Structure formats: C-alpha cells, structure tokens
C-alpha cells in the first residue's frame, strides 16, 4: 500500500486585504499624470482619487478579484484541486456589489473565505496600470483597512479555523492594517511549531512600516520577496550590501523565536533565477523560459509564485519542489490577464 497523504480542509490559512483589481493597459502620460513609476506598488493618496474614475472612462478595464494574500491563497487551492477548501482566507469587505463579486470569486475558487463585512467603508479596489510587461499598482484599501481583531479574528468560530491550519501566509501589506491580528496568528504558529510565512510585499513596507515588520520578523519561518523589496529591506536594515545572496543570508540570521526551524528566505528576481537560503548556503533556481510575446501581464506573478510554493509546503514537500511549483504557477499566470488561471494545473 502506498500511503496517500490526504490534505485536510483549512490546512493553509491566509489573512490580508481583499481587493477588486481594476486592470487596464494604460499609456506613459497616464502614469506621469499621477506620478506613478512603471513598476511599483503604492497606497492611494488624495491625488490618486481621480485615477480610479479616469482609468474606467479612458481605457478598457477588466475587473478581477485581487489582493495579494487572497491571490496566493486562491492559486494554492487551484494547484491542490482536491479537496476543496484546503485554504482559508480572512479579510474585510463592504456590503456592496464589489464585495459580492469577491465572495462569488472566492467561492468559485473553492477557498473557504470568511469576510468581516462592515458598512462604514466600501470594498477596497486596486488600480493595475499596465504598460508593456510592467505593472503599477495603486491600492485604495477602504474596507480592507477596517479589519478588526476583536470583531473577527478573536471570535471563537473564526479562531477555530486558525487553529486547524498548519501553514500560515500573510502578505506584508496587511502590516498597515492590523499588526495585532498578525501577531496573534504568528505567535500561535510559533508556539505550536507550525509554519508562519510572510512577504515583504513592496518597498514602502520596509521603509515606512519597518517597526511593525520587525515586530513580526522573529516569528517568520519563510520570508518571501522580490529583488526590489530585498534591496530596500537591506538598505533600511543597514545590511550594507546590494548582493541579493548576502541580503538573504542576513535576513535568515535575524532573531527568531522558534529555534526548531531555521528561517528560509526566498527571493524571486523576475526572469532571473529565484534564490533560497538553505542552512549556510544560498541556492539559485532558474525560472521556466517564456517568450516575451507570450507575456500578457505580470500582475500577480509574485502572488502566484507564493501560491504555488505554499501548495507544496502544506503537503510537506521538499523546498526545491515548493520553488518548482512556484515557478510553474507564475509561468501560467503571466500568460493571462490578471491573477487568473485555467481550469486545472498541469504540474508534476
């Protein structure tokens, strides 16, 4: 008999900002008008208010369920396929049309989503301004910013779902919303020798939410990021190096509460190889080749990588296999608009 490892529902837990992506191919003038870099992720300020109306009026927009953590959780569920609802997601939405779309999309993706619904703010949106294979993301968090630990996470039936999980993933973006919620989950994982994973998410997190980030870092078992985020993190932490392998080693060596597991640091670099720390070594894994003309939109590639990685991690697979799955998922996603995927994966 071969033992089949059955993954139980709610094994992978994610918590973050559920956003509806409003995605369009825009022009350079549009980026300049709103002071956007071609490839960046920022939070909307007052000067961006008009952007959300203008993008809909001026360009052909597509609406996709988004939000970094939610994307990754969906991809993980897609990679796993059966059983349904291996992945749980918590976040805050408004009681409105966009909120209904997010609920419907989570349901279609077979994710066990429990949204905290409130009426003070509308469901959050994210403008994905695409030029070539760059994407500039402007997030208007709105409802996503209203997530409350005492109103949702602490409720007995919700906390039970947290306890069921063995792997946890939260994007760094959520640090701007509810640090206390993150710490509660992170400490639970650490105390029970479960895996807590976090993403650096965007340069502004390492710059302006440094204290919150470093409060969570001692609980982080797997740290994700891309080359830009790694460089900013290094600068902000005074690592005094721009060498990505050195940055990974230094991030790995930061203080850690659960000593039973060494921290693993995984940095993607777009079309260049992904690097991962392993003991005192750093290994590089080449990404799957893709023809430039087959890239439709790189929005969601990083989220997809994490989703693929987590789908294998939650099944106790080797870390090399986790990276492979991440590369596979990212390769599928960049051939499509938004963070969307075909009916079934073809990954072995």
């Amino acid at each position: 008999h071969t033992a089949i490892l059955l993954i139980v529902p709610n094994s992978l837990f994610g918590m973050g900002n559920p956003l509806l992506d409003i995605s369009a191919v825009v022009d350079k003038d549009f980026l300049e008008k709103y002071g956007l870099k071609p490839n960046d992720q920022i939070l909307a300020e007052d000067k961006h208010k008009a952007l959300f109306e203008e993008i809909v009026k001026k360009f052909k927009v597509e609406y996709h369920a988004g939000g970094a953590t939610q994307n990754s959780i969906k991809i993980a569920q897609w990679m796993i396929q059966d059983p349904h609802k291996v992945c749980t997601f918590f976040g805050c939405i408004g009681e409105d049309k966009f909120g209904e779309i997010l609920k419907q999309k989570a349901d279609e993706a077979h994710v066990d989503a429990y949204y905290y619904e409130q009426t003070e703010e509308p469901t959050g949106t994210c403008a994905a301004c695409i030029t070539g294979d760059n994407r500039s993301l402007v997030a208007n968090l709105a409802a996503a910013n209203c997530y409350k630990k005492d109103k949702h996470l602490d409720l007995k039936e919700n906390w039970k779902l947290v306890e069921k999980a063995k792997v946890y993933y939260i994007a760094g973006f959520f640090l701007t919303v509810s640090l206390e919620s993150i710490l509660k989950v992170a400490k639970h994982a650490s105390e029970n020798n479960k895996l807590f994973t976090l993403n650096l998410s965007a340069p502004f997190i390492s710059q302006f939410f440094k204290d919150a980030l470093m409060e969570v870092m001692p609980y982080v078992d797997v740290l994700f990021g891309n080359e830009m985020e790694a460089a900013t993190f290094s600068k902000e932490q005074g690592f005094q190096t721009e060498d990505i392998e050195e940055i990974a080693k230094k991030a790995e060596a930061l203080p850690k509460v659960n000593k039973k597991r060494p921290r693993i640091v995984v940095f993607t670099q777009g079309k260049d190889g992904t690097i991962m720390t392993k003991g005192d070594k750093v290994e590089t894994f080449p990404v799957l080749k893709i023809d430039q003309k087959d890239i439709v939109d790189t929005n969601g590639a990083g989220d997809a990588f994490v989703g693929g990685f987590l789908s294998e991690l939650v099944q106790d697979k080797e870390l090399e296999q986790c990276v492979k799955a991440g590369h596979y998922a990212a390769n599928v996603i960049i051939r499509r608009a938004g963070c969307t995927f075909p009916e079934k994966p073809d990954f072995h």
Side-chain angles (χ1 to χ4, degrees):
H1 292 295
T2 46
I4 297 171
L5 174 71
L6 285 174
I7 332 167
V8 295
N10 308 108
S11 298
L12 177 60
F13 175 86
M15 178 168 65
N17 300 331
L19 304 173
L20 189 75
D21 284 352
I22 303 170
S23 173
V25 174
V26 302
D27 50 37
K28 223 168 94 218
D29 294 345
F30 186 79
L31 294 183
E32 276 165 15
K33 178 175 177 180
Y34 290 102
L36 304 177
K37 293 179 194 149
N39 213 11
D40 203 7
Q41 286 157 299
I42 61 166
L43 293 177
E45 297 165 40
D46 280 343
K47 65 175 181 189
H48 301 116
K49 285 278 187 283
L51 178 154
F52 289 86
E53 288 162 27
E54 188 177 335
I55 197 170
V56 173
K57 279 203 192 99
K58 213 166 151 186
F59 304 101
K60 187 178 168 301
V61 299
E62 290 187 11
Y63 294 93
H64 298 285
T69 307
Q70 187 167 242
N71 283 343
S72 296
I73 292 296
K74 275 186 190 161
I75 296 277
Q77 179 64 54
W78 171 70
M79 290 283 288
I80 291 164
Q81 290 282 312
D82 288 310
H84 291 169
K85 300 194 173 180
V86 167
C87 302
T88 316
F89 179 76
F90 286 7
C92 182
I93 58 175
E95 294 185 7
D96 49 29
K97 191 178 115 224
F98 285 175
E100 286 305 316
I101 294 173
L102 289 185
K103 284 199 280 195
Q104 182 199 334
K105 293 290 181 193
D107 201 44
E108 284 168 12
H110 308 302
V111 167
D112 208 10
Y114 290 80
Y115 295 112
Y116 168 48
E117 296 180 48
Q118 47 73 63
T119 49
E120 274 159 55
E121 287 280 344
T123 297
T125 48
C126 177
C129 311
I130 296 160
T131 52
D133 59 2
N134 287 322
R135 49 97 185 105
S136 199
L137 306 178
V138 184
N140 179 26
L141 297 184
N145 203 27
C146 300
Y147 190 84
K148 300 277 185 289
K149 175 176 165 289
D150 55 340
K151 293 257 168 60
H152 194 264
L153 186 67
D154 292 343
L155 302 183
K156 216 162 76 196
E157 63 275 25
N158 290 341
W159 187 251
K160 263 203 190 108
L161 290 164
V162 177
E163 291 178 324
K164 273 180 86 171
K166 57 179 191 176
V167 177
Y168 301 85
Y169 174 63
I170 298 176
F173 292 124
F174 201 60
L175 288 162
T176 76
V177 173
S178 183
L179 175 60
E180 51 175 9
S181 296
I182 300 177
L183 285 170
K184 183 173 183 181
V185 171
K187 285 173 180 170
H188 167 80
S190 190
E191 283 157 15
N192 294 279
N193 196 28
K194 297 173 176 183
L195 279 158
F196 180 79
T197 70
L198 183 83
N199 204 317
L200 291 175
S201 290
F204 81 85
I205 299 291
S206 292
Q207 288 168 305
F208 308 118
F209 295 88
K210 194 193 311 196
D211 295 349
L213 176 62
M214 295 324 283
E215 220 178 305
V216 176
M217 196 60 75
Y219 304 100
V220 176
D221 295 299
V222 184
L223 179 68
F224 296 104
N226 67 20
E227 74 279 29
M228 239 164 75
E229 294 147 13
T232 307
F233 183 67
S234 173
K235 204 166 110 195
E236 292 295 328
Q237 293 299 318
F239 286 171
Q240 294 179 320
T241 178
E242 286 176 16
D243 179 313
I244 193 155
E245 295 196 4
E246 283 307 307
I247 298 170
K249 280 185 189 163
K250 287 185 189 265
E252 179 191 33
L254 291 166
K256 190 167 188 301
V257 173
N258 179 7
K259 303 277 190 277
K260 292 183 192 135
R261 300 177 182 275
R263 178 179 295 117
I264 293 146
V265 180
V266 187
F267 289 148
T268 57
Q269 310 183 76
K271 57 182 178 301
D272 298 321
T274 296
I275 68 157
M276 177 167 70
T277 58
K278 199 150 191 227
D280 47 10
K281 295 199 301 289
V282 178
E283 295 184 37
T284 305
F285 301 86
V287 302
L288 296 165
K289 291 269 181 286
I290 184 167
D291 208 326
Q292 191 64 35
K293 68 175 193 325
D294 292 330
I295 299 177
V296 173
D297 135 24
T298 56
N299 185 22
D303 298 338
F305 172 82
V306 172
F309 190 101
L310 294 171
S311 72
E312 297 288 295
L313 190 66
V314 79
Q315 299 178 68
D316 300 315
K317 298 284 176 60
E318 292 293 323
L319 291 166
E320 290 76 5
Q321 183 70 359
C322 296
V323 172
K324 256 194 187 145
H327 285 165
Y328 168 78
N331 186 274
V332 170
I333 293 305
I334 57 181
R335 297 167 188 271
R336 306 167 68 90
C339 198
T340 58
F341 34 83
E343 196 189 339
K344 280 192 163 53
D346 177 26
F347 175 74
H348 308 292

